[in-house]
Amino acid sequence: MVSLPATLPDLTWQGTLLGHGEPAIDPSFGGARRVELTEGAWVDVVPGWLTGADTLFATLLDTVAWKAHEVPMYEKVVAEPRLSAWWGSASEQPWPEGVRPLAAALGERYGTPFDSLGANLYRDGTDSVAWHGDRVLREQPDALVAVVSLGSTRRFLLRPKGGGASVRLDPAPGDLLVMGGSCQRTWQHCVPKSAAARGPRLSVTLRPRSRRPGAARG
């Protein structure tokens, strides 16, 4: 994969009624529901977990050093249709403002440190990501990947690895998804292109670097 610095276009987006103000998470994870998949895979869905989502969206949009990536595909190198940024642990590389409280709350909930951070920016409905499982975690028996959605609502699909009927989720700004169990090994997820997208979407992805012995499984 080749990474290149990216210049952001003028992104027009409309905030939500409750999206302004200081970002704050719901430590009780109220309203959380678990979607049981197959083969030990599951995804927790927590609507409205983060208030002040528009504030965090604007902060990340303006301060993150976004990069465009080129990836090999069918014997060619093509531009990945989204922008991304990745960090190591907060002790090695400063994380953007407002993200560490999210990681701390997730660690308390799931019993393991969420010490790896990534962010993906879908500039409009033509940006997307194809079916995949987490490259780092898909060889582990079980793994946790948390995704906090900011900006516009976009479809988030999951399907069994190798194909099959998909499960559709539509995370709104401030919603949290946590994929767990065998999800990265036995299922795939994607964000498809959308002609109905009304603005940019930004996802904050947090995960443990590795499964800690004795860590809770959700």
Side-chain angles (χ1 to χ4, degrees):
M1 177 184 292
V2 178
S3 300
L4 303 171
T7 300
L8 286 182
D10 182 18
L11 298 178
T12 300
W13 62 287
Q14 184 173 356
T16 60
L17 183 62
L18 300 178
H20 301 290
E22 288 298 314
I25 54 94
D26 174 10
S28 72
F29 287 71
R33 63 181 178 91
R34 176 159 296 185
V35 179
E36 297 285 355
L37 302 172
T38 59
E39 300 187 65
W42 49 264
V43 56
D44 285 347
V45 181
V46 192
W49 182 65
L50 174 71
T51 56
D54 292 346
T55 301
L56 183 58
F57 177 92
T59 296
L60 296 178
L61 193 65
D62 291 341
T63 61
V64 168
W66 297 104
K67 292 184 178 180
H69 301 285
E70 295 180 341
V71 295
M73 183 177 294
Y74 304 116
E75 301 181 354
K76 298 189 297 183
V77 175
V78 299
E80 189 176 39
R82 63 176 182 173
L83 304 181
S84 301
W86 294 94
W87 296 260
S89 69
S91 62
E92 297 173 348
Q93 186 177 4
W95 284 7
E97 181 181 354
V99 175
R100 295 185 71 172
L102 280 62
L106 288 163
E108 182 70 22
R109 173 78 170 185
Y110 292 96
T112 187
F114 281 69
D115 50 7
S116 178
L117 168 65
N120 298 303
L121 176 62
Y122 302 83
R123 293 157 289 189
D124 54 33
T126 64
D127 275 359
S128 63
V129 65
W131 291 108
H132 69 286
D134 187 290
R135 289 189 299 272
V136 175
L137 301 181
R138 63 188 173 199
E139 301 304 325
Q140 296 184 16
D142 60 271
L144 294 166
V145 177
V147 180
V148 182
S149 290
L150 308 172
S152 296
T153 299
R154 290 283 297 270
R155 281 181 297 160
F156 186 97
L157 304 180
L158 300 108
R159 73 175 183 187
K161 186 177 180 180
S166 63
V167 174
R168 174 174 173 168
L169 301 171
D170 294 278
D175 288 359
L176 168 69
L177 307 178
V178 181
M179 294 174 279
S182 70
C183 198
Q184 301 307 314
R185 289 190 299 110
T186 61
W187 282 65
Q188 298 176 312
H189 55 279
C190 78
V191 177
K193 297 181 187 297
S194 173
R198 298 186 176 181
R201 172 188 183 257
L202 196 160
S203 64
V204 175
T205 303
L206 291 152
R207 69 199 72 180
R209 286 187 169 186
S210 62
R211 168 65 64 184
R212 267 63 171 181
R217 300 191 180 186

